[in-house]
Amino acid sequence: MILNKTTEYALTILGFMATRNENMYSAEYLHQQLNIPCRYLRRLLTDLSKHGFLKSSSVRNGGFVFAKDLKEINLALVINKLEGIDAICTCILGFSCCIVDKPWIMHEPWMEARSKMVETLTNTTLADLKEKYQIDPIKNI
Amino acid sequence: MILNKTTEYALTILGFMATRNENMYSAEYLHQQLNIPCRYLRRLLTDLSKHGFLKSSSVRNGGFVFAKDLKEINLALVINKLEGIDAICTCILGFSCCIVDKPWIMHEPWMEARSKMVETLTNTTLADLKEKYQIDPIKNI
DNA sequence: ATATATTACTACCTTTTTATAGTATTTAAT
DNA sequence: ATTAAATACTATAAAAAGGTAGTAATATAT
C-alpha cells in the first residue's frame, strides 16, 4: 500500500521538473538535485520518455523536457504506467487470487479503498502542482 | 500502490477464517482451501500469531483461531503490521526523500490520497466481512 | 570532419521478497 | 511413556526489484 521506489523516483522527477522553469533538464542535473542513483535515474528517464511523459534530446546541452501539457499528466496515470497495474493483474479488478465466479473476500473493501485513492490521484495533475509549488528559477535552490 | 503478496495472503487467510464457522483452522486445511504455498503459509500463520491476530495450538487436531474479537481487527491494522508502514519510513509522513524542512513535492497529494484509502480500510473490520459474506458451514465449498 | 555533451542499450551485480526444506517442539489421545 | 498431529525455528534457494558498468548512438557546436 505504498509506492515502490521506482514510482517514487518517477513522481519526484516529474514533480521537480513541473515546478521549475528550466527549458531542459539533463540527467546529471536531475541527479545532483534529487539524489537519485545516477545510472538508475538515467534508465528511468528513458523509460519515462518511452511512456510518453518526456522527450529526450541526446545532444550537447540536451536532456529531457515534458512531451505533453502538464494538465494531461495526472498522478494516477504515472503510477499506472510504472507499476503496470492494468497489465500485471489477471483479475481486471486487481488481485491474482480473485476470479470472476469466486471473488476474493477482500475484493470489495479493497477496491473501495483503492478507488478513493485513485480518484484523488487522478484529480491531481502536474499543472496543479506547478501552480501550487512553483519555484522561482532565480532563487532556485 | 498495491499490496505485496505477503499482505495479500494475510488478508486472504483472515478473511477466509472470518467468514466460516469452523472452530479451528489447521495450516494444511487453509493451504487446501486457499492455494497459498504451503510452507510460506505456515510461516505466515506463525507471524499472524506473533502479531496477535491469531493464537495457535500445536497439538493433535490443533491449528489456528482468532486471538481477539473480529470487531477489533480492521484491515488497515493488518496491512500496517505486515508492511511495517510506521517502522520503515524515516519521514513520519511516509517518504524517504521527504524531510521536514524540504518536503517532497508530491507529499501533499500523496498523503491526501493515501489517508482516504486508510480511512476506508480502518472502517472495515473482519466482523463487517463476516456479516456480509458469511458462508454456511454445511454447504461450505 | 571532428570533438563533445548528451541519451540509449545491454549485461551484470546486489538486495529484498517470496518460497522451500529439514529438523525441533508441543501436548492431547492412547 | 509413546504416538501422532499439529506448529516453531533456522537455514537456504529462487525470483523480483533496485542499482551499476561499459559501450554505442546521437547530432550540434566548432
Side-chain angles (χ1 to χ4, degrees):
Chain A
M1 218 197 52
I2 229 172
L3 299 174
N4 64 34
K5 282 227 169 192
T6 303
T7 309
E8 184 183 332
Y9 290 157
L11 290 177
T12 300
I13 294 162
L14 297 177
F16 179 86
M17 288 175 64
T19 55
R20 316 273 150 157
N21 280 311
E22 312 290 339
N23 48 9
M24 188 64 85
Y25 299 81
S26 73
E28 184 52 32
Y29 175 68
L30 291 170
H31 167 61
Q32 285 163 10
Q33 295 294 313
L34 299 175
N35 208 31
I36 296 169
C38 188
R39 265 15 224 324
Y40 201 62
L41 170 70
R42 284 164 189 277
R43 248 177 40 178
L44 184 49
L45 286 166
T46 302
D47 289 348
L48 289 172
S49 301
K50 284 182 184 159
H51 284 130
F53 297 120
L54 302 178
K55 58 189 173 195
S56 67
S57 123
S58 43
V59 84
R60 194 186 312 205
N61 299 318
F64 298 85
V65 289
F66 282 106
K68 52 174 112 178
D69 195 289
L70 295 187
K71 282 199 217 68
E72 290 173 47
I73 305 178
N74 70 65
L75 306 188
L77 188 63
V78 177
I79 294 171
N80 280 334
K81 283 281 185 185
L82 284 157
E83 304 202 346
I85 284 174
D86 303 316
I88 286 168
C89 306
T90 53
C91 159
I92 53 160
L93 295 155
F95 268 88
S96 46
C97 57
C98 180
I99 49 178
V100 177
D101 59 330
K102 196 183 174 186
W104 190 43
I105 287 160
M106 293 293 167
H107 181 99
E108 201 174 305
W110 170 253
M111 289 315 292
E112 186 192 332
R114 190 171 172 284
S115 71
K116 284 188 185 172
M117 188 175 197
V118 170
E119 196 181 311
T120 307
L121 294 170
T122 304
N123 289 334
T124 308
T125 68
L126 293 183
D128 299 328
L129 287 173
K130 178 181 174 123
E131 194 179 334
K132 199 157 183 181
Y133 298 108
Q134 179 150 212
I135 286 167
D136 183 339
I138 307 301
K139 55 182 180 183
N140 179 11
I141 300 170
Chain B
M1 217 198 55
I2 229 172
L3 299 172
N4 65 33
K5 280 226 171 194
T6 303
T7 309
E8 184 182 331
Y9 290 158
L11 289 177
T12 301
I13 293 162
L14 297 176
F16 180 86
M17 288 175 64
T19 54
R20 317 274 150 156
N21 280 311
E22 311 291 339
N23 48 9
M24 189 63 87
Y25 298 82
S26 73
E28 184 54 32
Y29 175 67
L30 291 170
H31 166 62
Q32 285 162 11
Q33 295 293 314
L34 299 175
N35 206 31
I36 296 170
C38 189
R39 267 10 228 323
Y40 200 63
L41 169 70
R42 284 165 189 277
R43 251 180 34 180
L44 184 49
L45 286 166
T46 302
D47 290 347
L48 289 172
S49 301
K50 286 182 183 160
H51 284 129
F53 298 119
L54 302 179
K55 58 189 173 195
S56 67
S57 119
S58 41
V59 86
R60 194 186 313 204
N61 300 319
F64 298 84
V65 289
F66 283 105
K68 52 173 114 178
D69 194 289
L70 296 187
K71 283 198 217 65
E72 290 173 45
I73 305 177
N74 69 65
L75 305 188
L77 189 63
V78 177
I79 295 171
N80 280 334
K81 283 281 186 186
L82 284 158
E83 304 202 344
I85 282 174
D86 302 317
I88 285 168
C89 307
T90 53
C91 158
I92 53 160
L93 295 154
F95 269 89
S96 46
C97 55
C98 180
I99 51 178
V100 178
D101 59 330
K102 195 182 174 186
W104 190 43
I105 288 160
M106 293 293 168
H107 180 99
E108 201 173 305
W110 171 253
M111 288 316 291
E112 186 192 332
R114 189 171 173 284
S115 72
K116 284 190 184 171
M117 188 175 197
V118 169
E119 195 182 313
T120 307
L121 293 169
T122 304
N123 289 334
T124 308
T125 68
L126 293 183
D128 298 328
L129 287 173
K130 177 179 175 126
E131 194 178 333
K132 198 156 184 181
Y133 299 108
Q134 179 150 213
I135 286 166
D136 182 339
I138 306 302
K139 55 182 178 183
N140 179 10
I141 300 169

